[in-house]
Amino acid sequence: GAVVSQHPSWVICKSGTSVKIECRSLDFQATTMFWYRQFPKQSLMLMATSNEGSKATYEQGVEKDKFLINHASLTLSTLTVTSAHPEDSSFYICSAGRQGSSQPQHFGDGTRLSIL
Amino acid sequence: GQQLNQSPQSMFIQEGEDVSMNCTSSSIFNTWLWYKQDPGEGPVLLIALYKAGELTSNGRLTAQFGITRKDSFLNISASIPSDVGIYFCAGPRGNLNQAGTALIFGKGTTLSVSS
């Protein structure tokens, strides 16, 4: 079964609104989670690293004030797309790895965000 | 920076045929991962490789970690319609092995299987 849960799976909203996406590790603790963005027919690109109890680390070119990340517990990270615009429409995917493990991360099922 | 070059970009095959795709890099990776992504879903891990030269199978899938640590291939034998999807190679950024490291992805190979 899924070990990383992402919610919602699909959201449509009007331009200018804010959208929150949740990523949960279901049966393990994750001090670090990752947020990726995937445009149609393209690969996954890392947006930011979410660190429990501290500020997220953003990749070059990703606006931290637009993509707010909160990792308040060891099992939950949230990504809020603020004042969303049509160009923010994409597939957002989170991943998490078991703390202290060398095993590969597990990915959520992604969130399809469509901004009208 | 680290980049993964994946080929071919797409493949169109008949059911029952074997498939091979590969990934190369100018940088050394200590771990190679192969994922499959179905439409509208997140990537699912197929095979993880941790040692140079390692050859690992998972059912009809076989992957190898190149000796130089700069390449890997994935083979699918006797393809079936449910093999359709996008296959990605990936490796940990910064060459770390731990789960707390972000991944770099290849651009993917889109596989189409006709029955």
Side-chain angles (χ1 to χ4, degrees):
Chain A
V3 294
V4 173
S5 173
Q6 199 169 331
H7 178 81
S9 58
W10 188 30
V11 59
I12 302 174
C13 60
K14 293 181 179 179
S15 183
T17 58
S18 294
V19 178
K20 180 185 285 188
I21 303 170
E22 294 185 346
C23 181
R24 295 180 184 275
S25 55
L26 298 182
D27 61 351
F28 64 96
Q29 293 182 333
T31 54
T32 305
M33 292 185 177
F34 302 96
W35 287 96
Y36 296 83
R37 181 167 53 184
Q38 185 179 30
F39 290 108
K41 299 188 185 302
Q42 294 190 21
S43 188
L44 285 75
M45 297 298 293
L46 180 69
M47 296 177 65
T49 301
S50 174
N51 304 300
E52 187 269 335
S54 64
K55 291 181 180 180
T57 305
Y58 290 82
E59 295 300 297
Q60 189 174 8
V62 178
E63 299 176 56
K64 63 179 182 181
D65 294 330
K66 181 170 187 61
F67 298 99
L68 300 180
I69 292 173
N70 185 282
H71 194 154
S73 78
L74 286 170
T75 59
L76 174 64
S77 174
T78 60
L79 168 68
T80 301
V81 183
T82 62
S83 186
H85 291 286
E87 58 265 29
D88 299 324
S89 299
S90 188
F91 194 52
Y92 293 85
I93 310 172
C94 71
S95 72
R98 293 177 188 271
Q99 188 176 350
S101 170
S102 62
Q103 296 301 308
Q105 303 155 22
H106 298 278
F107 284 82
D109 278 341
T111 297
R112 172 71 58 193
L113 175 62
S114 297
I115 310 298
L116 303 178
Chain B
Q2 293 175 295
Q3 283 189 325
L4 294 177
N5 303 305
Q6 189 171 348
S7 64
Q9 183 177 353
S10 61
M11 302 183 73
F12 299 86
I13 62 171
Q14 295 276 347
E15 182 178 1
E17 291 183 3
D18 297 342
V19 171
S20 184
M21 58 193 78
N22 69 82
C23 211
T24 62
S25 174
S26 59
S27 307
I28 289 174
F29 280 85
N30 288 328
T31 300
W32 285 90
L33 306 170
W34 285 94
Y35 288 88
K36 183 191 178 196
Q37 185 180 30
D38 291 328
E41 299 184 11
V44 174
L45 182 68
L46 299 174
I47 292 179
L49 302 163
Y50 299 104
K51 295 180 181 179
E54 179 181 356
L55 183 70
T56 299
S57 294
N58 178 7
R60 294 178 295 106
L61 278 61
T62 301
Q64 184 158 30
F65 191 147
I67 288 291
T68 64
R69 293 194 285 163
K70 293 183 177 181
D71 64 306
S72 176
F73 71 74
L74 174 70
N75 288 343
I76 305 173
S77 62
S79 59
I80 59 178
S82 61
D83 290 334
V84 166
I86 305 176
Y87 293 80
F88 291 100
C89 61
R93 194 169 67 169
N95 236 347
L96 301 177
N97 289 337
Q98 300 205 1
T101 305
L103 297 179
I104 298 171
F105 285 83
K107 293 189 175 181
T109 296
T110 301
L111 179 63
S112 301
V113 180
S114 59
S115 54

